[in-house]
Amino acid sequence: MPVSRRSFLGGGLAAAAVAVTGTPLLAGCASDKKNTAAANAAVKLPTYVKYGEVKPDLPGTDVVLDGFLKYPASPVKAITDVPGDGKPITFMTNIPGAIPPAADKNQFWQEVNKRLGSELQISMASNDEYKDKFATRIAGGDLPDILNIPTDTPQIPGLVKSKCMDLTEHLSGDAAKKYPFLANIPTEYWKGCVFNGAIYGVPVPRGMSRTSLPLYRTDLLAAKGITDPAPKNFQEFFDLCKEMTSAKDNRWAWTRVPLSYLRMMLGLPNNWKEDGGKFTSMYEADANTEALEAARKLVAAGVVNPDAFNDKASARKQWFNGGIAAFDYDSFVAWNQYYNDNTAGPAFGVNMLDVPGFAGGQGKPWMGAALNNVTSFNKDSKHSAETLLKIANWMAAPFGTEEYLFRKYGVAGRHYTLQGTDPVPTKVGTVETGIGLQYISDSTLALYWAGKPDVPQKQHAIQAKIADRLVYDASYGLYSDTSSKKSAQLVKSMNDLENQIVQGKKPVSDWAAGVKTFLSSGGEKIRGELQDAFATAGGK
């Protein structure tokens, strides 16, 4: 199945929300009219040249990811040149885990600097704190050489035009072949890096790896005699949830209300739907009332952890790992992270549910967010664009290469041990390697878990099952200024209303008024801007 222009979800409803930082992020960064859909559509994107030196055990497609049962015994040394220019390079990023030891106490970081041929100076912040730090640095004009720009940053076109390098001449068309691992990133991902009629960054790709469905603890379900859960409709799903709940034993089926999953059962749009040039928000779909009623039913039946409405994502992950909850709605990235954080011992196992139709048949899963972030380069950097692109290219060397093995796992003996040909991280490795290199650039995710070939097999199988049914967000690659400024607050208001309804604090009938407010407060204007952008781009 060829992937269309609007193939990848621009983040789902939660991730598509625009950050509200409270900081005047773009003072002096106003974009001009050059940021038109026509100018962006005219940009020749990097030529895609798939790297063929590493052969997967489980071949993917343009949607399904490649899978590997073990790490290749003789990793390919893919890059011979040192990419750096000998001078320090600064980078600012978020970090999903704990802040690692500083460079002078971190042997992995020291080895990175040696291999790059430049000292990489990284300013880090936690996921929760990064957007505020980012906004403060932008407002103060204090920019690093390499900048991790979240996709939900307000008014990105003005920001990159004012502050970042135009990389079009270096990356457009066949020019990208000079950087073979950037060229190895499929074309669709680059659409999220085009603003003002130019390429202003390098993508950090996600797509299928961010597709989310219910993850479940295979060991907990097996203890109940359930080895292959495959509910055929909502009622069977509801019964399964009840079976996996025992409040008196401090066990619940769910970490949170799986409202997105219920919407997929009902075939709702993925954020924005386009039909004949007209755009419709997911919120407008009539079946929302049925999804909300079903969610209320789950909450009323007590199958959702009662703390779900108060605690953060980190707490939900602890419930799943600790066996307090059997199901969590999350992605393939999270699937691997759960194995990394496993506290339950060798019996621990994870798999993913397919999505049935609400009343039978097949549901429609939503494709995951195309990009984690856009990586741009400070236009005032003393480093050349070529040097910074070589650094990004090094960071994007794919699975099976020696560069990937080092970048993800570190140095053998200290940061990992070999189990056969598989690198198994040590405690030191887990602590020292988490310095955020994956947010400079990265290859598309490979399905793999060291020493557990059943993990990529399960992941590949569910991806193959859902690939032809994936629903894409029609707004990806189309810029709406109103969405950039207002989506965060609009989505927050709708999320708040959803939470009130599913907890029984407001009636489902309040949803219609909420949708009217969403549309009058900016949703209608976003629709118009998306439709104009779509038409101007020739419906591509």
Coordinates of all heavy atoms in Angstrom, one line a residue, residues 475-515:
S475 N -4.7 16.1 8.4 CA -4.1 17.5 8.6 C -2.5 17.4 8.6 O -1.9 18.5 8.5 CB -4.5 18.1 9.9 OG -4.0 17.4 11.1
Y476 N -1.9 16.2 8.6 CA -0.5 16.2 8.6 C 0.1 16.8 7.4 O -0.3 16.5 6.3 CB 0.0 14.7 8.7 CG 1.5 14.6 8.6 CD1 2.4 15.2 9.5 CD2 2.1 13.9 7.5 CE1 3.7 15.1 9.4 CE2 3.5 13.8 7.4 CZ 4.3 14.4 8.3 OH 5.6 14.3 8.2
G477 N 1.1 17.7 7.6 CA 1.7 18.3 6.5 C 1.0 19.6 6.0 O 1.5 20.3 5.1
L478 N -0.1 19.9 6.6 CA -0.9 21.1 6.3 C -0.8 22.1 7.5 O -1.2 21.7 8.6 CB -2.3 20.8 6.0 CG -2.5 19.9 4.8 CD1 -4.0 19.5 4.7 CD2 -2.0 20.5 3.5
Y479 N -0.4 23.3 7.3 CA -0.2 24.2 8.5 C -1.4 25.1 8.7 O -2.0 25.7 7.7 CB 1.0 25.1 8.2 CG 1.3 26.1 9.4 CD1 1.8 25.6 10.6 CD2 1.0 27.4 9.3 CE1 2.0 26.5 11.7 CE2 1.2 28.3 10.3 CZ 1.7 27.8 11.5 OH 1.9 28.6 12.6
S480 N -1.9 25.1 9.9 CA -2.9 26.0 10.3 C -2.4 26.9 11.5 O -2.0 26.4 12.5 CB -4.2 25.2 10.8 OG -5.0 26.0 11.7
D481 N -2.4 28.2 11.2 CA -1.9 29.1 12.2 C -2.8 29.1 13.5 O -2.3 29.2 14.6 CB -1.8 30.6 11.6 CG -1.0 31.5 12.5 OD1 0.2 31.1 12.8 OD2 -1.4 32.6 12.9
T482 N -4.1 29.0 13.3 CA -5.0 29.0 14.4 C -4.7 27.8 15.3 O -4.7 27.8 16.5 CB -6.4 29.1 14.0 OG1 -6.6 30.2 13.2 CG2 -7.4 29.1 15.1
S483 N -4.5 26.6 14.6 CA -4.2 25.4 15.3 C -3.0 25.5 16.1 O -2.9 25.2 17.3 CB -4.1 24.2 14.4 OG -3.8 23.0 15.0
S484 N -1.9 26.2 15.5 CA -0.7 26.4 16.2 C -0.8 27.2 17.5 O -0.2 26.9 18.5 CB 0.3 27.1 15.2 OG 1.5 27.4 15.9
K485 N -1.7 28.2 17.4 CA -1.9 29.0 18.6 C -2.9 28.5 19.6 O -2.8 28.8 20.8 CB -2.4 30.4 18.1 CG -1.3 31.2 17.3 CD -2.0 32.4 16.7 CE -1.0 33.2 15.8 NZ -1.7 34.3 15.1
K486 N -4.0 27.8 19.1 CA -5.1 27.6 20.0 C -5.4 26.1 20.3 O -6.2 25.8 21.2 CB -6.4 28.2 19.4 CG -6.4 29.7 19.4 CD -7.8 30.2 19.0 CE -7.8 31.7 19.1 NZ -9.2 32.2 18.7
S487 N -4.7 25.2 19.6 CA -5.1 23.8 19.8 C -4.9 23.3 21.2 O -5.7 22.5 21.7 CB -4.3 22.9 18.8 OG -4.9 22.9 17.6
A488 N -3.9 23.7 21.9 CA -3.6 23.2 23.2 C -4.8 23.5 24.1 O -5.3 22.6 24.8 CB -2.4 23.9 23.8
Q489 N -5.3 24.7 24.1 CA -6.4 25.1 25.0 C -7.7 24.4 24.6 O -8.5 23.9 25.4 CB -6.6 26.6 25.1 CG -7.6 27.0 26.2 CD -7.2 26.5 27.5 OE1 -6.0 26.6 27.9 NE2 -8.1 25.9 28.3
L490 N -7.9 24.3 23.2 CA -9.1 23.7 22.7 C -9.2 22.2 23.1 O -10.2 21.7 23.6 CB -9.2 23.8 21.2 CG -9.4 25.2 20.6 CD1 -9.3 25.2 19.1 CD2 -10.8 25.7 21.0
V491 N -8.0 21.5 22.9 CA -8.0 20.1 23.3 C -8.1 19.9 24.8 O -8.8 18.9 25.2 CB -6.7 19.4 22.7 CG1 -6.5 18.0 23.2 CG2 -6.7 19.5 21.2
K492 N -7.5 20.7 25.5 CA -7.6 20.6 27.0 C -9.1 20.7 27.4 O -9.6 20.0 28.3 CB -6.8 21.7 27.7 CG -6.8 21.6 29.2 CD -6.0 22.6 29.9 CE -6.0 22.4 31.4 NZ -7.3 22.4 32.0
S493 N -9.8 21.7 26.8 CA -11.2 21.8 27.2 C -12.0 20.6 26.9 O -12.9 20.2 27.6 CB -11.8 23.1 26.5 OG -11.2 24.2 26.9
M494 N -11.7 20.0 25.7 CA -12.5 18.8 25.3 C -12.1 17.6 26.2 O -12.9 16.8 26.6 CB -12.2 18.5 23.8 CG -12.7 19.6 22.9 SD -14.5 19.9 23.1 CE -15.2 18.5 22.3
N495 N -10.8 17.5 26.5 CA -10.4 16.4 27.4 C -11.0 16.6 28.8 O -11.4 15.6 29.4 CB -8.8 16.5 27.6 CG -8.1 16.0 26.4 OD1 -8.7 15.3 25.5 ND2 -6.8 16.2 26.4
D496 N -11.1 17.8 29.3 CA -11.8 18.0 30.6 C -13.2 17.6 30.5 O -13.7 17.0 31.5 CB -11.7 19.5 31.0 CG -10.3 19.9 31.4 OD1 -9.4 19.0 31.6 OD2 -10.0 21.1 31.4
L497 N -13.9 17.9 29.4 CA -15.3 17.6 29.3 C -15.4 16.0 29.2 O -16.3 15.5 29.9 CB -15.9 18.2 28.0 CG -17.3 17.9 27.7 CD1 -18.3 18.2 28.8 CD2 -17.8 18.6 26.4
E498 N -14.6 15.4 28.5 CA -14.6 13.9 28.4 C -14.5 13.3 29.8 O -15.2 12.4 30.1 CB -13.4 13.4 27.5 CG -13.6 13.7 26.0 CD -12.3 13.5 25.3 OE1 -11.3 13.1 25.9 OE2 -12.4 13.6 24.0
N499 N -13.5 13.8 30.6 CA -13.3 13.3 31.9 C -14.5 13.4 32.8 O -14.8 12.5 33.6 CB -12.1 13.9 32.5 CG -10.8 13.4 32.0 OD1 -10.7 12.3 31.5 ND2 -9.7 14.2 32.0
Q500 N -15.2 14.6 32.7 CA -16.3 14.8 33.5 C -17.5 13.9 33.1 O -18.2 13.3 33.9 CB -16.8 16.3 33.3 CG -15.9 17.3 33.8 CD -15.9 17.4 35.4 OE1 -16.9 17.6 36.0 NE2 -14.7 17.3 36.0
I501 N -17.6 13.7 31.8 CA -18.7 12.8 31.3 C -18.4 11.3 31.7 O -19.3 10.7 32.2 CB -18.8 12.9 29.8 CG1 -19.4 14.3 29.4 CG2 -19.7 11.8 29.2 CD1 -19.5 14.6 27.9
V502 N -17.2 10.8 31.5 CA -17.0 9.4 31.7 C -17.0 9.1 33.2 O -17.3 7.9 33.6 CB -15.7 8.9 31.1 CG1 -15.7 9.1 29.6 CG2 -14.4 9.5 31.7
Q503 N -16.8 10.1 34.0 CA -16.9 9.9 35.5 C -18.3 10.0 36.0 O -18.6 9.9 37.2 CB -16.0 10.8 36.2 CG -14.5 10.6 36.0 CD -13.6 11.6 36.8 OE1 -13.4 11.5 38.0 NE2 -13.2 12.6 36.1
G504 N -19.2 10.4 35.1 CA -20.6 10.5 35.5 C -21.0 11.9 36.1 O -22.0 12.0 36.7
K505 N -20.0 12.8 36.0 CA -20.3 14.1 36.7 C -21.0 15.1 35.8 O -21.6 16.1 36.2 CB -18.9 14.8 37.0 CG -18.2 14.0 38.1 CD -16.8 14.6 38.4 CE -16.0 13.8 39.5 NZ -14.7 14.4 39.7
K506 N -21.1 14.7 34.4 CA -21.9 15.5 33.5 C -22.6 14.5 32.6 O -22.0 13.4 32.3 CB -21.0 16.5 32.7 CG -20.5 17.7 33.4 CD -19.8 18.7 32.5 CE -19.4 19.9 33.3 NZ -18.7 20.9 32.4
P507 N -23.7 14.8 32.0 CA -24.4 13.9 31.1 C -23.7 13.8 29.7 O -23.1 14.8 29.3 CB -25.8 14.4 31.0 CG -25.6 15.9 31.3 CD -24.5 16.0 32.3
V508 N -23.9 12.7 29.0 CA -23.4 12.6 27.7 C -24.0 13.7 26.8 O -23.3 14.2 25.8 CB -23.6 11.2 27.1 CG1 -23.2 11.1 25.7 CG2 -22.9 10.2 27.9
S509 N -25.2 14.1 27.1 CA -25.8 15.1 26.3 C -25.1 16.5 26.3 O -25.3 17.3 25.4 CB -27.3 15.4 26.8 OG -27.3 15.7 28.1
D510 N -24.2 16.7 27.2 CA -23.4 17.9 27.2 C -22.3 18.0 26.1 O -21.8 19.0 25.9 CB -22.7 18.1 28.6 CG -23.6 18.7 29.7 OD1 -24.8 18.8 29.4 OD2 -23.1 19.0 30.8
W511 N -22.1 16.8 25.5 CA -21.1 16.7 24.5 C -21.4 17.7 23.3 O -20.5 18.4 22.8 CB -20.9 15.3 24.0 CG -19.8 15.2 23.0 CD1 -20.0 14.9 21.6 CD2 -18.4 15.2 23.2 NE1 -18.7 14.9 21.0 CE2 -17.7 15.0 21.9 CE3 -17.6 15.4 24.3 CZ2 -16.4 15.0 21.8 CZ3 -16.2 15.4 24.2 CH2 -15.6 15.2 22.9
A512 N -22.6 17.7 22.9 CA -23.0 18.5 21.7 C -22.6 20.0 21.9 O -22.1 20.7 21.0 CB -24.4 18.4 21.4
A513 N -22.9 20.5 23.1 CA -22.6 21.9 23.4 C -21.1 22.1 23.5 O -20.6 23.2 23.0 CB -23.2 22.3 24.8
G514 N -20.4 21.1 24.0 CA -18.9 21.2 24.0 C -18.3 21.3 22.6 O -17.4 22.1 22.3
V515 N -18.9 20.5 21.7 CA -18.4 20.6 20.3 C -18.7 21.9 19.6 O -17.8 22.5 18.9 CB -19.1 19.5 19.4 CG1 -18.7 19.6 18.0 CG2 -18.6 18.1 20.0

